[in-house]
Amino acid sequence: MADPINRTILVTDVERFSSRVDGDQAVLRRVLYEVLRKTFAAASIYPTEYTTEDRGDGVFALIDAKVPKAQLLRALITVTPAELREYNRRASEVARVRMRCVVHSGEVALDERGAIGAAVIDAFRICDSDDLKDELAKIAEPSLLCVTDLLYQSLVRHQHPGLVPEHFHPLDASSKDGHRDGWIYDRSRIHQESAASPEQPKPRAAPSGAAAPAAGISFLGTTHVAGDAVGGNKYVGGDQNG
């Protein structure tokens, strides 16, 4: 067995896969692989930067640690559900796809039979948990993303572009060998503790006796104002002196 190397771990599982007949399962697998291919392409992850293992009702992928994890999460949040919605819109009810996705990071060793490591087990335990299956059943979206607590604390919490902490909600995933903490993405509701986190910037109080400044809007990166592209971070409106 080779020495372990840090990898990004992605585990996917198609809902109610085993209840379909063989022909429908074959269709679902083709759809799953095509959606993942487009997701990786959108995240600028090249075929040489990941490997996949088929798990029958899902796919297990190992991605090079040099690939920014934020790129993968943004694609799983946007591209994956969009591709599934487009496919499901044209598919019969028995051929529609809904899936769970779990992303983790950790040390993974490889031998001639595949991947070994506690991080791999953690990702599979969360993906297979009844708790995550129940969360998918609650939402209308065709895919549900869950990141482990490690990734939430080291990445999502720091508000990288496209990753809004208050759209992630805590999950206590129970399995046969204990509990594991994760965070599911659901932008339809706000996680109040994340929204009120002390990490968030706080508005400055107006000086005593002074009128409160007018509200303004911040833009990150290039934006368009009255049809013109404006580069760089900008603040429009309000009084920033004080």
Side-chain angles (χ1 to χ4, degrees):
M1 182 179 72
D3 289 337
I5 299 175
N6 188 270
R7 303 289 184 93
T8 299
I9 300 162
L10 170 64
V11 177
T12 68
D13 189 281
V14 174
E15 182 183 57
R16 297 188 300 104
F17 185 87
S18 61
S19 66
R20 323 290 179 99
V21 299
D22 291 351
D24 291 337
Q25 289 184 1
V27 172
L28 266 58
R29 284 179 61 183
R30 286 197 297 271
V31 172
L32 173 58
Y33 275 93
E34 180 63 11
V35 168
L36 287 180
R37 184 189 67 78
K38 292 181 178 179
T39 298
F40 289 154
S44 298
I45 303 174
Y46 299 100
T48 56
E49 296 176 320
Y50 68 90
T51 61
T52 60
E53 291 183 17
D54 189 83
R55 294 302 173 110
D57 56 358
V59 174
F60 165 46
L62 290 176
I63 303 161
D64 286 355
K66 67 182 179 181
V67 174
K69 297 172 181 63
Q71 291 181 181
L72 174 62
L73 296 186
R74 284 192 291 267
L76 288 167
I77 285 171
T78 58
V79 176
T80 303
E83 290 293 332
L84 288 174
R85 281 195 298 270
E86 179 60 22
Y87 163 76
N88 288 341
R89 183 178 64 83
R90 295 176 282 108
S92 65
E93 184 174 353
V94 296
R96 290 173 188 159
V97 179
R98 284 168 52 82
M99 59 186 283
R100 307 183 302 281
C101 305
V102 175
V103 180
H104 192 19
S105 177
E107 300 300 310
V108 180
L110 298 173
D111 64 13
E112 65 276 10
R113 295 180 178 84
I116 303 169
V120 175
I121 294 173
D122 289 342
F124 272 97
R125 289 287 189 263
I126 294 174
C127 192
D128 291 339
S129 70
D130 289 338
D131 303 281
L132 192 60
K133 293 176 183 177
D134 291 343
E135 292 294 337
L136 177 60
K138 294 176 185 177
I139 65 173
E141 289 290 338
S143 66
L144 175 66
L145 170 65
C146 177
V147 301
T148 59
D149 188 61
L150 172 67
L151 282 187
Y152 178 87
Q153 300 299 340
S154 63
L155 186 64
V156 174
R157 184 175 65 88
H158 297 283
Q159 307 176 55
H160 292 280
L163 304 180
V164 182
E166 52 263 40
H167 290 164
F168 287 79
H169 309 271
L171 174 77
D172 180 10
S174 59
S175 66
K176 60 184 180 182
D177 59 354
H179 293 256
R180 291 169 175 82
D181 293 330
W183 295 78
I184 59 171
Y185 177 82
D186 181 1
R187 64 176 299 175
S188 69
R189 53 197 173 103
I190 296 296
H191 182 233
Q192 296 298 334
E193 290 184 20
S194 295
S197 168
E199 305 294 333
Q200 304 283 340
K202 297 180 177 62
R204 291 173 297 173
S208 177
I217 302 174
S218 295
F219 297 95
L220 299 180
T222 301
T223 189
H224 290 78
V225 178
D228 296 324
V230 181
N233 298 341
K234 296 288 181 289
Y235 182 89
V236 180
D239 181 6
Q240 296 208 94
N241 298 321

